[in-house]
Amino acid sequence: QFAPERTYSGCDVNPIAINWLQERHIRNAGEIATIATEPPLPFSDSSFDVVLAWSIFSHYSEPLHRRWLDELARVAVPGGSFSSRSTKA
């Protein structure tokens, strides 16, 4: 298991993805949530040292990109890490 001393939280708009995550991958689970397509996230300010955004920006309009970037910055600790990836060109 990767970094067993850490707690991992996750969210997705798709409840099937959340179920898959819970059943197979999160051993040290923090909060796992199904979320809306628009912010806010159900996490407090400065909740995470690392924020990963996998394949979200390719699904939303450009006006939502800024709102999501602001929201992801809100839940990251100051000086935290952020990584994003997209499956569409």
Side-chain angles (χ1 to χ4, degrees):
Q1 181 180 348
F2 182 76
E5 72 282 359
R6 298 290 185 180
T7 300
Y8 299 90
S9 297
C11 56
D12 200 294
V13 298
N14 184 340
I16 294 169
I18 292 299
N19 288 337
W20 179 84
L21 180 67
Q22 289 173 316
E23 292 171 2
R24 292 176 182 84
H25 291 282
I26 296 288
R27 289 192 176 85
N28 296 344
E31 186 173 352
I32 307 296
T34 302
I35 60 168
T37 57
E38 296 190 21
L41 291 170
F43 306 112
S44 301
D45 295 356
S46 302
S47 292
F48 303 106
D49 296 320
V50 177
V51 174
L52 304 173
W54 287 358
S55 193
I56 66 165
F57 295 108
S58 58
H59 296 287
Y60 296 126
S61 64
E62 193 169 326
L64 270 179
H65 289 185
R66 172 52 56 192
R67 290 183 60 205
W68 274 114
L69 285 170
D70 290 343
E71 181 64 4
L72 296 171
R74 180 189 70 78
V75 299
V77 298
S81 296
F82 171 75
S83 179
S84 176
R85 124 184 177 189
S86 180
T87 58
K88 291 185 179 182

